[in-house]
Amino acid sequence: MGKRVFAVMFLCGLALAGAASLAQAETVDYYIDVIDESNGQYKYVYGGGTEFEISKAGAKSGDACLTATLDCTQWSGAAVGHYPLVDLTQYKKPGIEFWVKGAEGGENFEVILIDADDSDGNKIEIGAMATPNFVRVTKEWQKVVIPFTAYPKKGQYWDANNNKMVTGIDFNPAELKEIKFAVGPAYNKGKKSVTIHIDELKIVDIK
């Protein structure tokens, strides 16, 4: 009888362990080789002479990488959007993972998360400096992981009606929509622009 009870308990433990493993949120690919607009992906830029393209040469892996040339004379950025929206609250330890290399090395940039404007009409953004906090960019590919805990809980959005930035607004982690690579006028002093290459952009559950 004792052996039978032990066997049942052991099997229950295995089942619970399996359920816990299944409960872990899956990796979400924001960019792997293509921007598939038919599958809810898109990209865009803002700010002066900023350019954002898919480069067929020099990828870290696969067929292509993203190349962003960011205008350093003003606030500018290159963003990748994703539908369906990503619910970061389903992850134990959510993080943004990608590979990066610079055209010259030493490029400084910020990684911004933007929630959906579907429900409240406002795209709230929060930012974390990738450099030098999580990587020092060189001309070689490097893996970067930025934990969601590195981001502030409150962000900002642009109020077009009043032509001003509204700050101190709660970011909605259940509705992550876009990831943006951005620079400001003080990020890369003395440079008019910087170029970075991005590959394998993902949302992950950090181990």
Side-chain angles (χ1 to χ4, degrees), residues 99-134:
W99 288 76
V100 65
K101 70 175 181 177
E104 299 179 356
E107 295 84 356
N108 295 312
F109 64 95
E110 184 178 9
V111 178
I112 293 174
L113 306 182
I114 306 172
D115 70 15
D117 54 357
D118 303 32
S119 56
D120 60 7
N122 300 316
K123 294 169 65 174
I124 313 301
E125 60 178 45
I126 52 177
M129 287 299 297
T131 53
N133 299 335
F134 298 97

Side-chain angles (χ1 to χ4, degrees), residues 10-204:
F10 178 75
L11 291 173
C12 287
L14 288 177
L16 288 171
S21 177
L22 291 173
Q24 187 174 30
E26 296 181 354
T27 295
V28 175
D29 294 335
Y30 257 69
Y31 171 79
I32 303 291
D33 288 342
V34 298
I35 297 292
D36 187 357
E37 294 183 0
S38 66
N39 199 34
Q41 294 176 301
Y42 59 93
K43 65 180 178 70
Y44 67 88
V45 301
Y46 79 94
T50 299
E51 298 178 357
F52 198 24
E53 60 184 17
I54 297 176
S55 302
K56 293 293 186 180
K60 188 270 170 185
S61 63
D63 297 327
C65 66
L66 294 170
T67 297
T69 298
L70 304 168
D71 188 337
C72 295
T73 66
Q74 58 186 286
W75 290 101
S76 64
V80 177
H82 185 280
Y83 275 107
L85 303 176
V86 179
D87 185 355
L88 297 177
T89 67
Q90 297 302 306
Y91 293 76
K92 292 181 180 179
K93 190 177 180 181
I96 297 84
E97 179 183 294
F98 58 94
W99 288 76
V100 65
K101 70 175 181 177
E104 299 179 356
E107 295 84 356
N108 295 312
F109 64 95
E110 184 178 9
V111 178
I112 293 174
L113 306 182
I114 306 172
D115 70 15
D117 54 357
D118 303 32
S119 56
D120 60 7
N122 300 316
K123 294 169 65 174
I124 313 301
E125 60 178 45
I126 52 177
M129 287 299 297
T131 53
N133 299 335
F134 298 97
V135 66
R136 292 185 182 273
V137 179
T138 69
K139 297 171 71 173
E140 303 297 327
W141 285 108
Q142 295 181 77
K143 184 178 180 179
V144 185
V145 180
I146 304 177
F148 184 59
T149 53
Y151 287 84
K153 293 182 179 180
K154 293 184 180 293
Q156 59 186 13
Y157 72 90
W158 177 252
D159 183 349
N161 293 327
N162 296 300
N163 198 37
K164 67 176 184 178
M165 190 68 77
V166 180
T167 60
I169 309 299
D170 287 336
F171 177 82
N172 186 352
E175 295 184 352
L176 175 62
K177 184 177 185 179
E178 298 168 358
I179 301 175
K180 180 167 62 180
F181 298 88
V183 299
Y187 289 11
N188 297 274
K189 293 182 179 180
K191 295 183 179 294
K192 292 184 177 180
S193 67
V194 292
T195 298
I196 57 173
H197 306 280
I198 304 293
D199 209 352
E200 298 183 16
L201 176 59
K202 306 174 181 180
I203 299 298
V204 299

